[in-house]
Amino acid sequence: MISESHNSTGLQHSLKQRHMSMIAIGGVIGAGLFVGSGVIAKAAGPAAILSFLLTGGLVVLIMRMLGELASSLPVVGSFYEYARLAFDDKPKVSKFLGFMSGWMYWYFWVVVVALEAIAGAKLVNFWLPDVPSWAISLVLLVSMTVLNLFSVKAFGEFEFWFASIKVVAIVVFLFVGALFITGSLPNSIPTLGFLTSHGGFMPHGWGPVLSGAVAATAFYSGAEIVTIAAAETSDPAKAIARATNSVVMRVLMFYVGSMFVVVCIVPWDTPAIATPFVSALTVMNIPYAAHIMNAIILTAVLSALNSSLYASSRMIFALTRRGDAPTGLVKLSKNGVPVRAILFSTLFAYFAIAVSYVSADLVFPFIVNSYGILILFVYLLIAISQLRLRRRLERECPERIKVRMWLFPYLTYFTIFAMLVILGAMSVSSDTEQRVSFWFGLLSVVIMSVMYYIKKLVNDDRNGGASADTKVELKHV
């Protein structure tokens, strides 16, 4: 039964509203925008704008649902607990979905920790080519680990300033890009440039646009971290309501706006699109474009590394409290930091970094390809949980609903349908990478399911098969 307030968790409540807003933004704006967007543009042409618009719109709906749940039911673990609560009239389903949502989310972010550390090393190698990449990865990972171990306020301050740098960089990029496109910069003329001149706006039809929308889903992941961080604020409901109402729309504007500027300035069918922002700044005659963007992308990577380590450790902390992870990991430091949960989450990252150099052709490709779709499964569970919990909230305690999902239940049904379409499209995609990612990801889901049933068998043996589960009244959550 979930009846404890967020004040009884032992976590500190030192995150402020400014931290929450930037955590939401910083979690989404990563290397995917600055580098990965070029891959989508190369496949879909200028219509990559539509890819980001479609996926961004879907994530806005998911965040609205999550905002409704998190402001009405502010609990440690966020959507991990919502999956349990939504089906607590069916204990077996409740336990299984709770376990799966928590561990899928943890696995997603610990892989991101490793990938961001590896990506950060490559960026630093731009300036320090003689330093071994593995050594840089370890330094970055250890640095972010120490930061997270210190206090949640240190995490919040770091994320606030690094996310602020990213936001300022994108705003400046959009501003300068607009001046260039409108002919307001020296040696520029008013034009939409390459938006339609190289084969048209949609040179390869809708197929690559929809495929790009599927790929872009992972770029938007991270906004939901704000609902996990809410457990460490003094007023979770207010913090979540503000963060989810405005921040995600701004992020959507950043993605779509940046993509528009890039495809207007850089031809989509040239090698230059592989480094979209650097190439755009070069065309606009911005001095030291490569160095500037490398520094900004490194900032984005460090911010993502920081956020992913935070998200994975807090999810493990929530899992321990329900017996879905070893209870020894629940221990907090005197600063209210789940030290063991943080260190446990870094172990997989160290392993992944090691195999990226030792087994680059076998184990590491599985890690990379097996984590991406897990966030889609988590989003699907968020939508299903909101569908069930909203109706219960209206029956049991309607006064707690402070943020309402638009056009409920129709947009919720639409979101669930859209997520299923995305997963189905990935399974049969002509893009080998997407197809492999789907099936490897499904394999990781199967492995986690086996883990759950092993845990269940062990617990049943210890407890003689007894269960003390009862239906939770939402007013007591």
Side-chain angles (χ1 to χ4, degrees):
M1 179 172 179
I2 305 170
S3 59
E4 57 191 7
S5 72
H6 75 287
N7 288 319
S8 67
T9 64
L11 297 173
Q12 297 298 303
H13 307 130
S14 39
L15 292 179
K16 298 180 172 60
Q17 183 59 50
R18 64 185 179 88
H19 295 142
M20 295 293 284
S21 296
M22 284 303 176
I23 287 170
I25 291 179
V28 182
I29 302 174
L33 170 61
F34 296 110
V35 180
S37 56
V39 176
I40 296 176
K42 186 173 181 62
I49 297 169
L50 298 180
S51 298
F52 283 103
L53 189 60
L54 289 170
T55 302
L58 187 61
V59 173
V60 166
L61 295 178
I62 292 167
M63 282 303 298
R64 183 70 181 187
M65 286 181 243
L66 194 50
E68 176 185 286
L69 292 175
S71 59
S72 303
L73 305 166
V75 293
V76 175
S78 185
F79 39 86
Y80 160 66
E81 293 289 5
Y82 303 143
R84 295 170 62 93
L85 281 172
F87 291 90
D88 69 350
D89 57 332
K90 302 174 182 178
K92 291 182 179 180
V93 176
S94 171
K95 288 181 177 181
F96 176 72
L97 292 182
F99 180 93
M100 293 299 291
S101 64
W103 279 105
M104 285 192 297
Y105 194 71
W106 176 83
Y107 182 64
F108 175 85
W109 283 115
V110 292
V111 174
V112 173
V113 169
L115 296 182
E116 296 293 354
I118 293 168
K122 293 178 180 178
L123 293 167
V124 174
N125 276 144
F126 178 78
W127 295 301
L128 303 172
D130 297 329
V131 179
S133 296
W134 64 266
I136 299 174
S137 293
L138 290 179
V139 169
L140 295 178
L141 181 54
V142 170
S143 299
M144 292 301 101
T145 301
V146 171
L147 181 70
N148 273 264
L149 288 173
F150 187 70
S151 71
V152 68
K153 186 175 182 180
F155 158 76
E157 283 296 327
F158 181 93
E159 195 57 28
F160 174 80
W161 289 109
F162 268 48
S164 297
I165 292 172
K166 290 189 285 187
V167 169
V168 170
I170 293 173
V171 170
V172 171
F173 178 80
L174 292 174
F175 177 70
V176 175
L179 291 178
F180 184 85
I181 292 170
T182 58
S184 302
L185 287 182
N187 302 318
S188 65
I189 57 175
T191 178
L192 291 180
F194 302 107
L195 194 62
T196 58
S197 62
H198 283 228
F201 178 72
M202 197 181 296
H204 300 305
W206 276 100
V209 174
L210 297 177
S211 179
V214 173
T217 306
F219 295 172
Y220 282 101
S221 61
E224 73 289 334
I225 293 176
V226 72
T227 65
I228 296 174
E232 295 178 80
T233 65
S234 58
D235 190 348
K238 182 178 179 181
I240 292 170
R242 287 185 178 180
T244 57
N245 276 341
S246 59
V247 170
V248 179
M249 293 301 293
R250 293 175 197 165
V251 169
L252 179 60
M253 179 188 71
F254 290 158
Y255 267 89
V256 175
S258 298
M259 198 73 258
F260 176 79
V261 170
V262 167
V263 295
C264 282
I265 297 175
V266 182
W268 67 270
D269 54 353
T270 63
I273 200 67
T275 53
F277 284 74
V278 172
S279 299
L281 290 175
T282 301
V283 171
M284 291 186 285
N285 296 314
I286 304 299
Y288 306 106
H291 289 275
I292 292 172
M293 282 314 304
N294 200 65
I296 292 171
I297 296 171
L298 179 59
T299 300
V301 164
L302 291 176
S303 172
L305 176 56
N306 189 41
S307 294
S308 54
L309 186 55
Y310 174 85
S312 58
S313 65
R314 275 12 178 224
M315 185 53 70
I316 278 290
F317 180 74
L319 284 162
T320 60
R321 289 154 47 80
R322 301 296 165 216
D324 286 331
T327 55
L329 298 176
V330 78
K331 185 176 177 61
L332 298 173
S333 71
K334 63 179 181 180
N335 292 329
V337 175
V339 174
R340 294 179 181 176
I342 293 173
L343 294 177
F344 176 77
S345 295
T346 62
L347 288 179
F348 186 90
Y350 288 121
F351 167 76
I353 290 172
V355 299
S356 71
Y357 296 102
V358 176
S359 183
D361 299 322
L362 184 62
V363 179
F364 192 65
F366 172 79
I367 293 173
V368 171
N369 288 311
S370 66
Y371 87 105
I373 70 162
L374 297 185
I375 198 67
L376 300 179
F377 284 124
V378 171
Y379 285 166
L380 183 60
L381 283 175
I382 288 171
I384 294 172
S385 299
Q386 188 268 339
L387 184 66
R388 291 176 63 90
L389 285 174
R390 167 66 176 269
R391 288 169 173 155
R392 281 188 61 191
L393 283 165
E394 289 176 338
R395 289 195 309 269
E396 299 178 23
C397 43
E399 72 282 356
R400 297 187 68 163
I401 306 176
K402 299 176 177 63
V403 176
R404 291 180 177 270
M405 176 59 186
W406 305 299
L407 296 177
F408 178 83
Y410 306 108
L411 279 181
T412 301
Y413 280 124
F414 169 78
T415 305
I416 292 172
F417 174 75
M419 297 301 291
L420 291 173
V421 168
I422 288 175
L423 289 168
M426 289 186 72
S427 68
V428 296
S429 174
S430 58
D431 186 328
T432 303
E433 186 175 339
Q434 284 191 21
R435 196 168 61 252
V436 170
S437 179
F438 174 84
W439 291 109
F440 274 31
L442 201 60
L443 177 58
S444 66
V445 171
V446 171
I447 292 172
M448 290 180 197
S449 299
V450 172
M451 286 171 52
Y452 169 78
Y453 284 105
I454 292 174
K455 179 191 80 78
K456 185 175 181 299
L457 286 173
V458 171
N459 287 348
D460 285 350
D461 287 341
R462 288 176 179 173
N463 301 327
S467 175
D469 287 275
T470 57
K471 186 176 176 65
V472 178
E473 292 185 25
L474 294 185
K475 64 181 179 181
H476 293 148
V477 174

